[in-house]
Amino acid sequence: MAVLAAVVRELGSEPVVEEFADPAPEMGAADVVAAALNPVDLAVVNGQIPFRRLTPPFVAGLEGVARLQDGGHRYFFAPEPPFGSFAESVPLAGAEMSAAVPAGLDPDVAAALGVSGLAAHLSLTATGGLVGGEDVLILGADGQVGRVAVQLARALGAGRVIGVVRDDGSRRVPLALGADAAVSSTDVDGLAERLQAEAPDGVDLILDLVWGPVVGPSLAVARRNARVVQIGNSGGPDATLNAPSFRNRGVRFLPHSNFLFTAADRAAAFEELAARAAQGEVEVEVERVPLTGAAEAHRRLVAGAAKRKLVLTTTSGTD
Amino acid sequence: MAVLAAVVRELGSEPVVEEFADPAPEMGAADVVAAALNPVDLAVVNGQIPFRRLTPPFVAGLEGVARLQDGGHRYFFAPEPPFGSFAESVPLAGAEMSAAVPAGLDPDVAAALGVSGLAAHLSLTATGGLVGGEDVLILGADGQVGRVAVQLARALGAGRVIGVVRDDGSRRVPLALGADAAVSSTDVDGLAERLQAEAPDGVDLILDLVWGPVVGPSLAVARRNARVVQIGNSGGPDATLNAPSFRNRGVRFLPHSNFLFTAADRAAAFEELAARAAQGEVEVEVERVPLTGAAEAHRRLVAGAAKRKLVLTTTSGTD
């Protein structure tokens, strides 16, 4: 038997939707309902991810949601190679991690909450140690992780929530999700001053998805003993930091990667996040693309052209 | 009554040794035996330290050791203004912190162990959380704090201890104090490679007294979940850091300043450190200068011309 799948035939080349081997039933084969696209998928296709260096041909896609025989759904991450989530069927048995999807949650949204939702949830809670009432600054609040983080910070009882976004036009994104203020980072030279105007008493926690030229000026509002959680570097891999500006106020830099956490910890965090999403505390706007459009969706991810979270859907999900 | 003291008559000007008011007996006046010079003293004279912005005239000097009436000695820090440690007498009652000096320890050495010894001790233990068997890299191992840190790391049961020093000629400094290896930072471009040769399996803890161009290449030997304790920036206030290089390995940056700790915590750390020094586990080479030479000692500190720890001594200490 064969199923449709987005297959990588050569490292670095765009996945092609074609027939691929069907995973055997004894591997826990299940129908894929939805699969989310993430920047990490591009790196896997390019052979740049140490924990997933695959030999072609293999199926693209790290995360998705499959339908179980009882009609329920299960989120899965990193199925056993050569299988991947951009396919009609996946073997659940060998997945690196999987977690329950609550009955009330749209499986497409559940798929979209995986990698980026976990980054928001774990960085706020486990890495950042957010305590109710603390003020939070989110650098990159208009991105996929940032959008979830704004809502979660609110749901977790943060005090003031301030988002830094790439331009004035993006300020509405965190504001619509519950942020108290949004500041553009276009003019980096004036950023510290604009942040001080919005947070005259400073903030306790900075979630940094940007780094580059944005993180330095943002330290101007780090309160004594504040934490900066370093999650991503959409603004560039290098930043120049002034040591006295953070040292004398006791500001810590805490690295965050989902993969510093065990599969069990990630599964528990996913289930907590999914429960909040089922209750409407966290929303993710998804753009559904049929699996047959995987190559074009991949191209849009490369170009950074998607405003909403791209989710590949199969006919399995449409019944 | 009046005593000799190194008096600052104008902010930014060199202290002048002259007669100054004697602290009253009801302020716990005690004879000063020894007073250490530290870079922070220069900043106090320049009015740059928020916790000690004084109005001239005032006596220079933050730390010293005084003799008690029972013949014992007490370390003190930040006596009540306008008094300071560069004087024949000091009021112990209003000092911000004070701690016992063990009977077996030379009071001049006790004075020299204060600010810089505490930075080494607290950064290794309270901030850095050193656990026995862990490998430690000390950036700035030829400076005053670094020298104490090399010995303390050894005494606290560290595994491999590696020092980074300013030039090849300074390599002997940490080596003589018990370091397993010493690497010069003169050629910054080759630093990462030289460190990898000395620590092929990486290190768990980096004490950073240098920052500037040295800290970035040093991250090459940071093991997964390593900690970088940021204590000083003798290499310059700014450093360019590559986010993926530390984030994906879970490397934390922990700021250290003695003044992030309470007076009680610092006093306890001083007493532990002094006990180790009394047992010969930690040695500090001091250069004794009579109080009357305070202005010249101040000038040498400005010029960075002292190889050993400068300690001002009074005739009270010579009986």
Side-chain angles (χ1 to χ4, degrees):
Chain A
M1 276 267 299
V3 294
L4 273 190
V7 179
V8 177
R9 299 224 148 259
E10 201 179 331
L11 286 184
S13 78
E14 192 171 88
V16 175
V17 178
E18 58 186 19
E19 295 216 319
F20 198 79
D22 199 356
E26 61 267 28
M27 295 173 73
D31 289 346
V32 177
V33 174
L37 276 85
N38 295 289
V40 67
D41 290 312
L42 306 180
V44 170
V45 166
N46 292 331
Q48 294 164 334
I49 297 290
F51 71 82
R52 200 149 173 106
R53 258 194 245 282
L54 307 180
T55 308
F58 62 86
V59 179
L62 272 172
E63 67 174 351
V65 168
R67 187 173 30 220
L68 306 176
Q69 285 182 336
D70 64 6
H73 293 93
R74 194 154 183 92
Y75 168 86
F76 63 89
F77 179 82
E80 182 155 333
F83 301 104
S85 64
F86 301 170
E88 289 179 320
S89 182
V90 75
L92 286 181
E96 193 261 346
M97 181 274 250
S98 73
V101 174
L105 184 63
D106 179 343
D108 300 350
V109 170
L113 277 176
V115 169
S116 54
L118 277 180
H121 187 276
L122 285 169
S123 65
L124 273 170
T125 58
T127 310
L130 177 65
V131 170
E134 286 189 323
D135 299 319
V136 180
L137 176 68
I138 299 170
L139 312 182
D142 48 341
Q144 296 298 345
V145 179
R147 290 173 201 212
V148 178
V150 168
Q151 298 171 78
L152 265 179
R154 195 92 287 166
L156 291 165
R160 203 162 157 76
V161 177
I162 302 171
V164 168
V165 297
R166 74 196 75 190
D167 51 35
D168 270 323
S170 306
R171 292 179 58 243
R172 60 178 174 73
V173 176
L175 291 173
L177 297 170
D180 298 293
V183 174
S184 161
S185 63
T186 306
D187 165 27
V188 164
D189 290 338
L191 180 57
E193 207 172 311
R194 289 200 299 286
L195 285 171
Q196 282 166 329
E198 292 296 350
D201 300 325
V203 300
D204 304 289
L205 180 61
I206 299 178
L207 291 195
D208 172 31
L209 294 145
V210 180
W211 201 243
V214 171
V215 65
S218 303
L219 297 178
V221 291
R223 208 170 269 168
R224 187 176 160 110
N225 295 326
R227 295 91 69 197
V228 179
V229 180
Q230 215 306 297
I231 311 163
N233 46 265
S234 64
D238 295 321
T240 299
L241 296 181
N242 180 272
S245 75
F246 69 86
R247 181 182 66 231
N248 294 334
R249 271 177 291 152
V251 175
R252 275 171 287 165
F253 284 80
L254 305 174
H256 178 83
S257 161
N258 289 347
F259 309 113
L260 296 169
F261 291 85
T262 64
D265 285 344
R266 281 179 283 139
F270 179 87
E271 290 175 9
E272 193 187 321
L273 179 59
R276 289 188 184 276
Q279 287 157 27
E281 288 182 354
V282 175
E283 293 181 6
V284 182
E285 278 190 273
V286 300
E287 178 179 343
R288 294 168 179 81
V289 176
L291 175 60
T292 48
E296 198 205 324
H298 182 92
R299 238 169 290 155
R300 288 176 59 200
L301 189 65
V302 171
K307 287 276 177 197
R308 291 175 295 168
K309 186 85 185 166
L310 289 170
V311 173
L312 297 174
T313 57
T314 64
T315 49
S316 320
T318 58
D319 59 355
Chain B
M1 275 263 306
V3 294
L4 273 191
V7 180
V8 177
R9 299 225 148 256
E10 200 179 333
L11 286 184
S13 78
E14 191 171 272
V16 176
V17 178
E18 58 186 19
E19 295 217 321
F20 198 79
D22 198 357
E26 60 268 28
M27 296 174 74
D31 288 345
V32 177
V33 174
L37 276 86
N38 294 288
V40 66
D41 289 312
L42 306 181
V44 170
V45 166
N46 292 331
Q48 295 164 333
I49 298 290
F51 71 81
R52 201 153 172 101
R53 258 193 245 283
L54 307 180
T55 306
F58 61 86
V59 179
L62 272 172
E63 67 175 350
V65 168
R67 188 174 30 219
L68 306 177
Q69 285 184 335
D70 64 6
H73 292 93
R74 194 152 184 95
Y75 168 86
F76 64 89
F77 180 82
E80 181 154 332
F83 301 103
S85 64
F86 300 172
E88 288 179 320
S89 183
V90 74
L92 286 181
E96 193 262 346
M97 180 272 252
S98 73
V101 174
L105 184 62
D106 179 342
D108 299 351
V109 171
L113 277 176
V115 169
S116 55
L118 277 180
H121 188 277
L122 286 169
S123 66
L124 274 169
T125 58
T127 310
L130 177 66
V131 169
E134 287 190 321
D135 298 320
V136 179
L137 176 67
I138 299 169
L139 312 182
D142 48 340
Q144 297 299 344
V145 179
R147 291 173 199 212
V148 177
V150 167
Q151 299 172 76
L152 264 180
R154 196 91 287 164
L156 292 165
R160 206 163 156 74
V161 177
I162 302 171
V164 168
V165 297
R166 74 195 74 190
D167 52 35
D168 269 323
S170 306
R171 291 180 59 244
R172 62 179 173 70
V173 175
L175 291 173
L177 297 171
D180 298 295
V183 174
S184 160
S185 64
T186 306
D187 165 28
V188 164
D189 290 338
L191 180 57
E193 206 172 310
R194 289 199 300 286
L195 285 172
Q196 281 167 330
E198 293 295 348
D201 300 323
V203 300
D204 304 289
L205 179 61
I206 299 178
L207 291 196
D208 172 31
L209 294 145
V210 180
W211 199 244
V214 170
V215 65
S218 303
L219 297 178
V221 291
R223 208 170 268 165
R224 186 177 160 110
N225 295 327
R227 295 92 69 197
V228 179
V229 180
Q230 214 309 294
I231 311 163
N233 47 264
S234 63
D238 295 322
T240 300
L241 296 181
N242 179 272
S245 76
F246 70 86
R247 181 182 65 232
N248 295 333
R249 273 177 290 150
V251 176
R252 276 170 287 165
F253 285 81
L254 306 174
H256 177 81
S257 161
N258 290 347
F259 309 112
L260 296 168
F261 292 84
T262 63
D265 285 344
R266 282 180 281 140
F270 179 88
E271 289 176 8
E272 193 188 322
L273 179 61
R276 289 189 185 275
Q279 286 157 27
E281 288 182 355
V282 175
E283 291 182 7
V284 182
E285 278 191 89
V286 300
E287 179 180 343
R288 294 168 180 81
V289 175
L291 174 61
T292 49
E296 199 204 324
H298 183 93
R299 241 170 286 155
R300 289 175 60 200
L301 190 66
V302 171
K307 287 278 176 196
R308 292 175 294 167
K309 186 83 186 168
L310 289 170
V311 172
L312 297 174
T313 56
T314 64
T315 49
S316 320
T318 58
D319 58 357

